[in-house]
Amino acid sequence: MKNLIIAALIFPALLITTATLAEASTKVMWGKTESRNGQIGKVTVLCTTQLYQKDHEGILRHSNRPLYKGEEFRVLKYETPSKLKLALLKTIL
């Protein structure tokens, strides 16, 4: 009877541990960040800098916290310069 009680207490813990391990193994890590659907890259901060965020009106504002060297962020969307701008840049340099 004592063994049955111990088994009844341990079995749920084993189920929870197995479920947690299954969830953990489905994560795909890229450096310090977890890769997600729609991610096209990541940014690694090279030196401490100020973080800017757009407010609800679309205006860039200082965030309350700085970004520290080594922090990583997912990139979901970005804008590249046009071919004309890149060509102008090459002529200047």
Side-chain angles (χ1 to χ4, degrees):
M1 184 69 175
K2 186 177 181 181
N3 289 341
L4 186 59
I5 293 172
I6 292 172
L9 293 174
I10 294 175
F11 186 69
L14 289 175
L15 287 177
I16 292 170
T17 304
T18 305
T20 304
L21 290 174
E23 288 175 16
S25 65
T26 60
K27 290 183 180 180
V28 178
M29 297 302 291
W30 181 13
K32 298 176 186 175
T33 59
E34 178 186 348
S35 293
R36 300 251 174 108
N37 251 353
Q39 181 175 344
I40 59 172
K42 72 175 181 175
V43 173
T44 303
V45 179
L46 298 178
C47 62
T48 302
T49 188
Q50 182 62 43
L51 174 65
Y52 289 87
Q53 294 179 324
K54 285 186 179 181
D55 64 10
H56 64 280
E57 297 172 355
I59 299 171
L60 282 177
R61 306 248 186 230
H62 281 272
S63 176
N64 287 337
R65 76 173 192 91
L67 299 176
Y68 296 103
K69 181 178 180 178
E71 286 188 73
E72 295 179 355
F73 297 92
R74 287 185 291 276
V75 175
L76 303 174
K77 184 179 177 180
Y78 73 103
E79 186 177 351
T80 59
S82 67
K83 290 182 181 182
L84 176 62
K85 298 270 186 198
L86 290 173
L88 286 172
L89 184 62
K90 285 182 182 179
T91 60
I92 294 172
L93 299 176

